[in-house]
Amino acid sequence: MHVVLSIGGSAINPKGEPDLDFLKSMAQIIKKSKNKFGILTGGGSLARVHARAARALGASEYEADAIAITSTRQNAQLMIAALTAAGVKTLNRVVADFEDAKEPAKENKAAVMGGTIPGITTDTDAVLLAEAIGAERLVNISNVEAIYDSDPRHNPGAKRFKKLTYDELNKLAAESDKRTAGTHFVFDMLACKLIARSKIESHFVSGKNRKDMENAIEGKKHSGTVVKS
Ligand code: UTP
């Protein structure tokens, strides 16, 4: 079966630089699994720095997004390098759109994408990829261990969820969307709506917890959050 991994830029370059140990360990996890993978990499701080610089030079939001997309694709290329070094069969280029992902996802152990069009985020890309290649499971890997009812970095009393339904997830995402800038929900609203419409079982785990990542990929119990019917 196919599993889509949505790997946040916060996990790939947590301190503004690529975390090579993380990339190598992701490649090993993928190698060990019997599943096939569609992988979507985020841009994190790399994307933010470039988008901010573009805006400071007078670029439009569309152009700032386009530049940020190139950062997500740089991270995708690093993921490909890590997979290749680990001996995992993958296409040696970043897949540019969902239609083009279908064949490589069948023929390889992993097909890797970055962002696609301005105006969305790689969370949404990840779910669209899952729909396109018929993945039954999605694993979101970021710098938070689970889904909370508010940002645990700003609110130490935030409630942590082990399990949510699609409706509950959408309610949380909508509430969080109304809050002021600076606190952003673990998965964007459009992405939440898309996993609900296709009923894709989704797991939210931290990139710092290898065991959780491995268990989530296999659909086993972990300390993060599972979203399903
Ligand atoms: P991310 O998906 O990494 O955004 O894309 P994010 O929400 O900042 O992710 P994390 O969780 O903090 O890592 C980075 C930026 O790239 C552009 C958007 O500007 C987005 O904020 N982007 C990405 C697009 O315009 N289209 C895409 O398909 C993907």
Side-chain angles (χ1 to χ4, degrees), residues 143-226:
N143 62 353
V144 289
E145 313 78 48
I147 296 180
Y148 291 79
D149 66 348
S150 58
D151 191 333
R153 285 163 299 189
H154 297 106
N155 177 11
K159 183 176 172 211
R160 176 172 173 155
F161 297 100
K162 272 207 94 48
K163 216 185 134 205
L164 288 169
T165 62
Y166 298 112
D167 286 349
E168 287 165 344
L169 175 74
N170 274 296
K171 206 163 158 261
L172 282 173
E175 279 164 10
S176 157
D177 205 50
K178 283 185 219 129
R179 286 190 204 118
T180 45
T183 56
H184 88 194
F185 191 58
V186 62
F187 215 48
D188 82 49
M189 231 170 88
L190 179 54
C192 291
K193 287 196 171 144
L194 295 176
I195 57 169
R197 79 170 181 180
S198 289
K199 307 237 176 322
I200 298 167
E201 179 188 294
S202 300
H203 299 253
F204 293 79
V205 292
S206 161
K208 292 197 191 83
N209 190 330
R210 180 167 176 153
K211 203 78 223 139
D212 271 1
M213 290 192 283
E214 287 175 332
N215 284 334
I217 283 169
E218 306 307 332
K220 294 182 185 159
K221 277 198 178 144
H222 52 77
S223 72
T225 304
V226 187

Side-chain angles (χ1 to χ4, degrees), residues 2 14 40 56 72 83-84 91 119 125 139 198 206 208 214:
H2 274 101
L40 223 307
T72 66
L83 291 168
T84 306
L91 196 67
D125 290 313
V139 179
S198 289
S206 161
K208 292 197 191 83
E214 287 175 332

Side-chain angles (χ1 to χ4, degrees), residues 6-13 40-48 51 55 61-62 64-73 75 98 114-126 128 140-143 184-188:
S6 177
I7 310 179
S10 58
I12 299 173
N13 33 340
L40 223 307
T41 54
S45 58
L46 188 66
R48 277 192 293 278
R55 284 189 201 102
E61 286 303 313
Y62 175 90
D65 275 354
I67 286 169
I69 289 171
T70 65
S71 303
T72 66
R73 290 186 178 162
N75 281 340
F98 308 110
T116 53
I117 54 159
I120 61 174
T121 76
T122 53
D123 294 343
T124 295
D125 290 313
L128 290 169
N140 185 72
I141 297 166
S142 72
N143 62 353
H184 88 194
F185 191 58
V186 62
F187 215 48
D188 82 49

